[in-house]
Structures are given as C-alpha cells and as structure tokens.
Amino acid sequence: MSVPAAFPANDPHNTMRASDADRDRVAEALREAYAEGRLDVEEHNERLDRTYQAKTLGELTPLLSDLPQRHTHTASPVPGPGNPIPAMPADYAPGSSVTAVFAEQKRGGRWLVPSQTTAAAIFGQVTIDLREAVLTQREVVIVANAVFGSIEIKVPHGVVVRDEGTAVFGSRSGSDRNAAGDVPITPDSPVVVLRGIALFGEVSVRYPKPKKLGKFLGR
C-alpha cells in the first residue's frame, strides 16, 4: 500500500487549497487502509466524508496521520499539486480479469475493485462479489462476457448497476439504472457499469436480501 505522508504542522503548504486530485489521493489511501483492516467501516466512512469536505491540505493531514506512511518509487510522499496518484497493487491494477473456461471462478471478500475488471465465462461460471469490496473510484466498469456460460455479480444495496451490454441468444437481468436496491439513490451513489456480451449465456445482478446487507467500501 502506498499512503501519502502527512504534512508537518508548521508546513506552509497546510494553508494551500486542496485540489480534487489531492482529495482523491487521500481517499484512495483510506480505501486501501480499510481493505487491509486498519480502519473499520465507520472510521473509513467518517474519514472519507471529511476528505471530500476538506478545503486545504492541512485538513487532509490528520486523516492519514495514524496510518503507515509508506511509499514506492511510483508514488508521491505527500498529496500535492503535480504529484502522481499512488500506484495500485499489481493484482488489482486496471484491466484485472477473472476467467473461467469449463470451470468456476469467484472473486469476493474484501478486495480492491479497479477502474475496470474483465470477466469471461466460456462454458463456465464466474461470480464477482462486491458486497465487501472497496471501490477505487465512484464509478467502475465490469466487462462481462458470457459465452455458453454464466456471470453473476453480487452488489450491496446502495450501488447503482447500469447495464450497457448486449445479449445474443442469451440474457442479462437484475440491473436497473434507476435503482440501488433498498437504498435511495444520491449523487454520490457508487455506480457499476456493465458492458460485454451474453452469447448463448447469462449475465445477472443480485442484491442481497435486506437482512443480509453487505458492507460496501466507503459509501
């Protein structure tokens, strides 16, 4: 994990106005800390709210002060103008894929969801469970290609699933761009965009029953 280091208390940059990129860098660090179990869901949600309300770099500093301040050569030691966004772990970099060929594959539990994930089920079955996952950004894309196979995507209430895919002698079900399960939609609601094709296959979306609501990264 790469976490931007905090500014010293007397650093003049503390009064500098924070940019959207600064807030996004801190939010990403918080999401990684949550994924590692360093923050519980309440702490993560509270700090994330404070992150996006922050006006200056000094307001961002306390949000990371008790977290490991580790960084790599690809990450900047402090959130600031022009510094690159910390790199994602290689296993969860954009373009991550889950493939099942005459087999069954699952991805679930507490994991970082990259900006785009590709799922392919060819005469097989893929399950992508987002109920305890941590989104790296508010809107993520899942390219779901089911060819004589099935792909099931489990999402928690509060997540909008927008299906932009195609079905050819197949089916795509369970998503509704105007719904987020039992939780009202807000401008900050997480969005999962589904793309890809169901060719003689099935792509389905499942929300949990109300009594089994899952936790969802940050929102």
Side-chain angles (χ1 to χ4, degrees):
M1 186 182 80
S2 175
V3 178
F7 284 102
N10 60 351
D11 194 315
H13 286 89
N14 277 338
T15 59
M16 184 179 295
R17 301 286 291 190
S19 68
D20 288 341
D22 297 328
R23 284 182 281 268
D24 288 342
R25 276 188 283 272
V26 173
E28 181 177 332
L30 293 174
R31 286 166 181 151
E32 290 188 30
Y34 170 68
E36 290 184 336
R38 298 182 188 278
L39 299 174
D40 61 30
V41 65
E42 290 81 10
E43 291 171 325
H44 174 258
N45 290 345
E46 179 185 356
R47 295 192 191 197
L48 201 61
D49 287 342
R50 290 170 58 191
T51 296
Y52 287 109
Q53 292 172 6
K55 300 298 183 183
T56 67
L57 295 179
E59 293 177 83
L60 294 175
T61 300
L63 303 177
L64 302 177
S65 61
D66 60 348
L67 298 176
Q69 296 175 14
R70 294 174 290 176
H71 25 268
T72 65
H73 68 281
T74 58
S76 165
V78 295
N83 287 334
I85 295 176
M88 290 295 296
D91 289 345
Y92 301 113
S96 292
S97 62
V98 185
T99 303
V101 181
F102 290 99
E104 180 179 355
Q105 292 287 343
K106 296 182 180 180
R107 175 164 292 180
R110 184 176 290 187
W111 60 289
L112 291 175
V113 184
S115 58
Q116 179 171 306
T117 299
T118 300
I122 304 173
F123 292 97
Q125 180 179 349
V126 170
T127 301
I128 297 180
D129 192 341
L130 303 177
R131 291 174 297 177
E132 296 182 9
V134 179
L135 294 183
T136 57
Q137 55 191 53
R138 192 183 70 85
E139 181 173 302
V140 298
V141 175
I142 296 178
V143 180
N145 295 314
V147 180
F148 292 97
S150 65
I151 297 176
E152 181 179 68
I153 300 169
K154 298 180 179 181
V155 295
H157 294 274
V159 178
V160 178
V161 179
R162 189 170 71 238
D163 193 349
E164 299 178 353
T166 303
V168 179
F169 296 106
S171 67
R172 305 179 71 93
S173 63
S175 66
D176 185 346
R177 68 181 61 235
N178 297 314
D182 292 339
V183 177
I185 296 175
T186 71
D188 293 325
S189 294
V191 178
V192 174
V193 179
L194 293 184
R195 295 175 183 159
I197 186 170
L199 178 62
F200 292 98
E202 178 184 10
V203 175
S204 61
V205 176
R206 298 284 185 267
Y207 284 98
K209 295 180 180 179
K211 65 180 180 179
K212 296 181 179 179
L213 290 179
K215 291 183 276 186
F216 194 65
L217 108 113
R219 300 287 184 184

